[in-house]
Amino acid sequence: MQKKIFKNMCLLALVAVVLSSLLIALVYYASFDNRMKNEVREETQFVRNAVELSGEEYLQTVAGTPNRITLIDGDGTVLYDNQAEAASMENHGDREEVREALTGGAGEATRMSGTLSEQTFYYAVKLQNGQVLRVAAETDSVFAALLSILPWIIGVALVAALVTVIFSRFLTKNIVAPINSLDLDHPSENTAYDELAPLLSKIHRQNEVIAQQIRSLREKQEEFTSITENMSEGFLVLDHNTDILSYNTSALRLLGVEDAPADTHTSALALNRSAGFRSAVDGALSGTRSEQLLRQNGRCCQVMANPVWRDGEVEGAVVVILDITEQEERENLRREFTANVSHELKTPLTSISGFAEIIQNGIVKPEDIPRFAGNIYVESQRLITLVDDILNLSRLDEADVQLEREQFDLTALARDVAGRLKPAAKKNGVVITVIGDKAEINGVKSIVDEMIYNLCENAVKYNRKNGRVTLTVSQEPAGTALTVTDTGIGIPKADVDRVFERFYRVDKSHSKEIGGTGLGLSIVKHGAAFHNAKVSLNSTEGEGTTVRLVFPA
């Protein structure tokens, strides 16, 4: 813009200088021409008066004057000429200035002279004797005068042009400076030129629209980022070249990527090179929805890739990654649980059925019937206990909303459980002791009762003759703690991490003799999870076991 203004100002100034020079030349030319013609007229009058006073002899005295003097008779015959032979000159009766002088007393004309071959101004007057006196001056002298002042005109024009360039540059900078310093972020605060006010107002309105659009886009982007970043599922958006356009951190975590890609246009295949992931991406980019299982680092992920279509062509793909490790583990646990339940139910039912069949067929002697009936009773009680434990586990798994929480004394509940188990403990020579003051917790009393009962029952079952079981209730910063310690046979180190699994028994060969369903510690684990309590177990084989429950405050 600055260059354009500068060029236009220079061009305007140059045109002005040229036109001014031409105008001055024309004015000078007109002034010089008028002055020359007036001089010719005055000289003609002077010579006329002298000729009429002194006669034609006077003409001889002005023979050397620069202007041409001619005396013409009334019939057009040239009587005298100071620059040519009169006898050799043609008749001048048809000359315009001569005709006007003969008819009007004076005449003038400008034309090329046939004698001098120069453009000439003629002025003629009629004498008293009827003759015509004519004085002529070459008009070329006017152009000569113009040529004489032409260098001055050119010099002045050059100086004017130089000054114009300097001032144009200066003025251009001053004109453009306020425009260059405009604050387009706050156009309403500018005071450059009044002519710019409509433009600045329009820019201001446009800025407000753009700012609003940017805020809207930023809000949508933040909303999208917030949604995707808080998704546990992985999320990838790819273009048709497999380059990543968008992703969330869950995708990187599930694909096993430690560092985020430096460039969002990194190929997704560089994140995971497994055949399943590649197959899912390639399938989607070929236009087909694809699902694959991805197993790595002990986890199982389901990769679902869908093509993105535009104008009938695949523009990219959206990949969703789901962590189904827990789902698969649950499915495995379900299958294992079903198999264990079937086995545990089948064992007492088989015994009951066998004893009943023997009695039905009359094979049993009458005196042996009470013994067989007792076996049937024991097995049926074992079956009832197993069903009750399964129902308790099912209830804890489903977090039954009908279970109401209440405030109760944990120490009193522990003493109550210990009292119920004292007959079995006395039979095995085990002493149960409860230590602690009143400590209230909020929970489902029946579930906590079942948890304490299972812990104490195991401590009694797997104890030594004349052993001890100690229940300790204490208040700690983390909450209320219940510790069950026994002096029993302990648990091998290899089995410590598995004792909370359903139906898991450390010594399977003696499980039937000792009794139990193998669900006791599993119920404790699920009950602790239901109450947001922490459970821990420490055991030394041959020395005893300590189980610790900490209920949050």
Side-chain angles (χ1 to χ4, degrees):
M1 179 178 179
Q2 184 173 347
K3 291 182 178 179
K4 189 173 183 180
I5 293 175
F6 176 72
K7 289 180 180 178
N8 290 338
M9 291 183 69
C10 290
L11 180 61
L12 180 62
L14 181 61
V15 171
V17 169
V18 172
L19 291 178
S20 298
S21 299
L22 290 176
L23 182 60
I24 291 171
L26 291 175
V27 171
Y28 179 79
Y29 175 81
S31 176
F32 186 84
D33 185 60
N34 289 334
R35 188 172 64 251
M36 181 269 296
K37 290 181 177 179
N38 288 332
E39 290 177 355
V40 171
R41 294 187 187 99
E42 291 176 358
E43 183 180 358
T44 303
Q45 294 298 332
F46 176 78
V47 175
R48 170 187 178 184
N49 294 332
V51 170
E52 287 184 345
L53 291 173
S54 306
E56 295 182 14
E57 291 78 7
Y58 173 78
L59 297 176
Q60 300 299 326
T61 63
V62 295
T65 59
N67 292 333
R68 183 180 180 185
I69 299 175
T70 307
L71 183 64
I72 305 168
D73 198 3
D75 58 0
T77 303
V78 178
L79 301 176
Y80 172 79
D81 191 278
N82 64 343
Q83 294 184 6
E85 289 293 336
S88 62
M89 297 175 65
E90 60 186 5
N91 189 284
H92 281 39
D94 59 348
R95 300 294 194 267
E96 180 182 356
E97 69 279 4
V98 175
R99 290 199 309 271
E100 290 178 358
L102 291 174
T103 58
E108 60 182 38
T110 302
R111 64 175 180 277
M112 292 295 296
S113 171
T115 304
L116 303 178
S117 300
E118 297 287 347
Q119 184 169 316
T120 307
F121 172 70
Y122 298 94
Y123 184 76
V125 293
K126 184 178 180 181
L127 301 178
Q128 294 179 358
N129 58 6
Q131 295 177 345
V132 176
L133 177 67
R134 187 184 70 177
V135 177
E138 297 177 1
T139 57
D140 288 343
S141 59
V142 175
F143 293 103
L146 288 176
L147 290 175
S148 65
I149 66 169
L150 185 61
W152 293 98
I153 294 176
I154 295 175
V156 171
L158 292 176
V159 172
L162 179 61
V163 173
T164 299
V165 169
I166 295 173
F167 274 94
S168 295
R169 186 179 298 276
F170 175 76
L171 293 174
T172 301
K173 289 183 178 180
N174 288 342
I175 292 172
V176 175
I179 300 176
N180 290 335
S181 62
L182 289 175
D183 184 4
L184 297 181
D185 293 331
H186 307 88
S188 59
E189 299 178 3
N190 295 289
T191 56
Y193 299 110
D194 293 339
E195 291 78 5
L196 293 177
L199 175 62
L200 294 176
S201 298
K202 188 173 182 180
I203 293 175
H204 177 69
R205 292 192 298 271
Q206 198 71 17
N207 284 351
E208 290 181 344
V209 173
I210 294 173
Q212 178 61 34
Q213 292 174 345
I214 292 176
R215 284 194 297 270
S216 177
L217 290 174
R218 186 178 292 112
E219 289 174 359
K220 290 181 180 179
Q221 183 179 12
E222 290 175 354
E223 180 181 354
F224 176 78
T225 302
S226 177
I227 292 173
T228 56
E229 285 301 317
N230 286 285
M231 288 171 54
S232 59
E233 298 82 2
F235 176 79
L236 292 170
V237 179
L238 314 178
D239 65 9
H240 64 281
N241 292 322
T242 74
D243 289 343
I244 301 173
L245 301 178
S246 180
Y247 67 92
N248 64 354
T249 54
S250 294
L252 303 182
R253 174 177 56 81
L254 295 176
L255 292 175
V257 180
E258 296 182 357
D259 299 325
D263 185 6
T264 54
H265 292 285
T266 302
S267 174
L269 302 180
L271 302 180
N272 189 287
R273 302 184 183 279
S274 63
F277 183 72
R278 180 182 290 273
S279 176
V281 172
D282 291 343
L285 293 179
S286 65
T288 305
R289 185 179 186 277
S290 180
E291 292 188 14
Q292 295 289 334
L293 287 180
L294 183 62
R295 301 179 187 273
Q296 61 180 17
N297 301 326
R299 306 197 69 83
C300 181
C301 296
Q302 184 178 13
V303 180
M304 297 179 292
N306 293 280
V308 177
W309 297 89
R310 180 180 295 174
D311 298 331
E313 295 184 359
V314 178
E315 285 290 321
V318 175
V319 181
V320 178
I321 307 167
L322 304 177
D323 187 354
I324 60 171
T325 304
E326 185 176 352
Q327 179 181 340
E328 282 220 334
E329 290 177 351
R330 287 181 177 273
E331 183 63 24
N332 292 334
L333 287 174
R334 186 192 63 79
R335 287 194 292 266
E336 183 180 354
F337 179 76
T338 301
N340 287 331
V341 167
S342 300
H343 174 75
E344 294 295 334
L345 290 175
K346 186 176 181 181
T347 301
L349 285 174
T350 301
S351 298
I352 293 171
S353 176
F355 290 137
E357 184 180 3
I358 292 173
I359 295 174
Q360 181 184 14
N361 292 333
I363 299 175
V364 182
K365 296 178 181 180
E367 60 270 20
D368 292 332
I369 289 177
R371 181 170 62 86
F372 278 89
N375 290 334
I376 291 174
Y377 176 77
V378 171
E379 293 296 335
S380 63
Q381 288 300 311
R382 180 184 173 191
L383 186 62
I384 290 171
T385 301
L386 177 62
V387 171
D388 287 341
D389 286 345
I390 292 173
L391 290 175
N392 286 333
L393 272 177
S394 176
R395 184 174 58 172
L396 291 173
D397 282 340
E398 295 176 1
D400 195 341
V401 295
Q402 296 180 355
L403 299 176
E404 295 183 359
R405 294 176 180 265
E406 58 180 314
Q407 290 287 127
F408 60 89
D409 185 0
L410 183 62
T411 305
L413 184 62
R415 287 195 174 97
D416 180 63
V417 172
R420 298 203 306 269
L421 284 171
K422 276 187 178 180
K426 186 176 181 180
K427 182 180 178 180
N428 293 335
V430 177
V431 177
I432 301 178
T433 305
V434 178
I435 303 173
D437 298 326
K438 181 178 181 180
E440 289 193 348
I441 64 171
N442 183 272
V444 181
K445 189 174 182 179
S446 60
I447 295 177
V448 178
D449 182 284
E450 183 75 14
M451 293 166 63
I452 299 174
Y453 188 90
N454 284 327
L455 290 176
C456 292
E457 185 182 34
N458 285 343
V460 170
K461 283 181 181 179
Y462 298 102
N463 215 315
R464 298 179 184 279
K465 199 70 174 177
N466 300 322
R468 295 187 308 277
V469 175
T470 304
L471 285 76
T472 304
V473 179
S474 60
Q475 292 287 353
E476 299 181 358
T480 304
L482 170 68
T483 306
V484 179
T485 305
D486 65 61
T487 58
I489 61 176
I491 302 171
K493 187 176 182 179
D495 296 315
V496 169
D497 293 334
R498 299 197 61 190
V499 293
F500 289 100
E501 295 179 10
R502 299 177 183 184
F503 298 108
Y504 186 80
R505 292 187 178 90
V506 176
D507 188 357
K508 297 179 176 60
S509 61
H510 295 87
S511 60
K512 187 172 181 179
E513 298 174 4
I514 297 175
T517 61
L519 296 174
L521 289 181
S522 183
I523 291 174
V524 172
K525 175 185 175 182
H526 284 74
F530 180 84
H531 288 87
N532 295 321
K534 293 183 179 179
V535 59
S536 60
L537 183 148
N538 291 312
S539 182
T540 303
E541 192 172 6
E543 295 182 5
T545 302
T546 298
V547 180
R548 180 180 174 82
L549 286 170
V550 180
F551 294 89

